[in-house]
Amino acid sequence: MSPIIELRDVHKAFGDNQVLRGVSLAIAEGETFVLLGRSGSGKTVLLKLIEGLVHPDQGMVALEGHDLETATGRELRELRGLLGIQFQSGALFDSMSVFDNVAFPLRERRLLPTAAAIERRVNETLALVGLADAVEKLPAELSGGMRTRLAFARAYAVRPKILLCDDPTAGLDPILTEAVDEALRIGKRELGATILLVTQSLPTAFELGDRLGLLHEGQLVAVGPPEVFKASPHPAVKAFLHDWLARREDTTGAAPA
Ligand SMILES: Nc1ncnc2c1ncn2[C@@H]1O[C@H](COP(=O)(O)OP(=O)(O)OP(=O)(O)O)[C@@H](O)[C@H]1O
Ligand SMILES: [Mg+2]
């Protein structure tokens, strides 16, 4: 079976800033791939290439075997329809009820034929993330964790085959981080989505990732399952893991004020 996401020898520069210098990656349907890398290493650029918002200077990006550069307008729209995209702040519509927030992408994209079908899908999706009792509420009436789950419910309403997540736990406290992790587990296990996750949270990466890779100096290194990644002798991976542990000790072992 051809991979659902494929990058082949992708190069991308902005002026003389060579961000990606030959990235190849094939992600299988249903797989969760975690993309790690320091700030500025090109993780967001890589996601934008997959969204078709950034174009490679060289190499190929394909979804379900279709090269995005040669796809027709109609094919591109269909391929984009495979994608669900989740950023940190899920950008909820504050004046809309929980129900309408989740129904929004279904109505806008006319994905279901009747109001009854939309209602069923919204209710199923809210139940999936544990928000069945909050249908009539406004986002402002929800806790932070519930808002996080609502943001994922909106992404999941369209049943995306591929979920792209750009650092969804950045800056979040441990409770909200856990809410994001739980929402990702639901996407993976209940919906069988293929997930490409950029995260700074290594516990999340190791728990959810079927494979991980580090973007370093424009290339993807140490690609493999968590045990393989952790044991990689690559100096950039060792430094990355070492720095992460040091940062964590800073925050968890800090001297009392
Ligand atoms: N549209 C653009 N024009 C010019 N330079 C860009 C553009 N988009 C990204 N870059 C540059 O590409 C490099 C990689 O950026 P990117 O946003 O992918 O980093 P990142 O790995 O996502 O970092 P972070 O972890 O901080 O989000 C940076 O040097 C950035 O300045
Ligand atoms: Mg980024």
Side-chain angles (χ1 to χ4, degrees):
M1 207 171 64
S2 70
I4 190 161
I5 301 174
E6 186 175 13
L7 284 80
R8 216 182 283 162
D9 194 32
V10 170
H11 293 247
K12 181 68 194 177
F14 296 99
D16 51 15
N17 181 7
Q18 289 280 344
V19 180
L20 302 180
R21 310 178 196 186
V23 171
S24 295
L25 172 67
I27 301 179
E29 191 163 348
E31 185 179 20
T32 297
F33 189 91
V34 176
L35 183 62
L36 301 167
R38 294 183 189 280
S39 183
S41 58
K43 303 180 298 296
T44 297
V45 168
L46 197 151
L47 294 188
K48 285 186 175 164
L49 280 154
I50 294 168
E51 289 174 67
L53 298 176
V54 164
H55 301 277
D57 299 330
Q58 189 187 317
M60 182 206 72
V61 180
L63 294 177
E64 288 193 327
H66 301 276
D67 183 339
L68 296 185
E69 294 303 306
T70 57
T72 63
R74 184 184 157 166
E75 282 171 339
L76 258 186
R77 273 193 299 282
E78 278 175 19
L79 293 171
R80 288 219 179 99
L82 300 170
L83 301 175
I85 296 155
Q86 192 62 21
F87 301 103
Q88 184 203 338
S89 52
L92 300 168
F93 299 114
D94 288 324
S95 60
M96 282 186 197
S97 69
V98 164
F99 183 95
D100 288 330
N101 264 280
V102 178
F104 185 85
L106 296 168
R107 289 174 177 148
E108 186 180 57
R109 285 159 68 170
R110 297 170 205 266
L111 288 179
L112 294 172
T114 61
I118 290 176
E119 186 174 345
R120 205 174 319 122
R121 174 69 66 83
V122 170
N123 286 330
E124 279 168 12
T125 309
L126 288 172
L128 202 61
V129 300
L131 284 179
D133 295 336
V135 194
E136 300 300 337
K137 294 207 156 95
L138 289 171
E141 300 174 273
L142 304 179
S143 71
M146 292 165 92
R147 291 169 62 93
T148 300
R149 285 184 270 146
L150 175 56
F152 274 91
R154 206 174 52 185
Y156 290 157
V158 304
R159 301 291 186 263
K161 285 181 84 172
I162 301 171
L163 185 69
L164 303 178
C165 294
D166 199 350
D167 215 352
T169 58
L172 299 185
D173 66 32
I175 291 173
L176 293 188
T177 298
E178 175 49 31
V180 169
D181 288 356
E182 179 58 18
L184 288 169
R185 277 179 215 122
I186 289 167
K188 181 179 165 129
R189 297 193 193 134
E190 310 291 325
L191 300 179
T194 304
I195 301 177
L196 177 50
L197 170 65
V198 170
T199 183
Q200 306 289 342
S201 164
L202 285 189
T204 305
F206 290 138
E207 185 207 315
L208 288 169
D210 297 310
R211 286 187 303 151
L212 295 73
L214 180 74
L215 203 48
H216 173 71
E217 294 182 346
Q219 290 184 322
L220 206 47
V221 301
V223 172
E227 316 75 60
V228 174
F229 182 85
K230 275 186 223 175
S232 168
H234 195 294
V237 177
K238 291 174 101 163
F240 186 83
L241 294 175
H242 177 270
D243 290 357
W244 190 84
L245 280 173
R247 269 206 309 280
R248 197 158 78 146
E249 275 158 22
D250 266 4
T251 50
T252 56

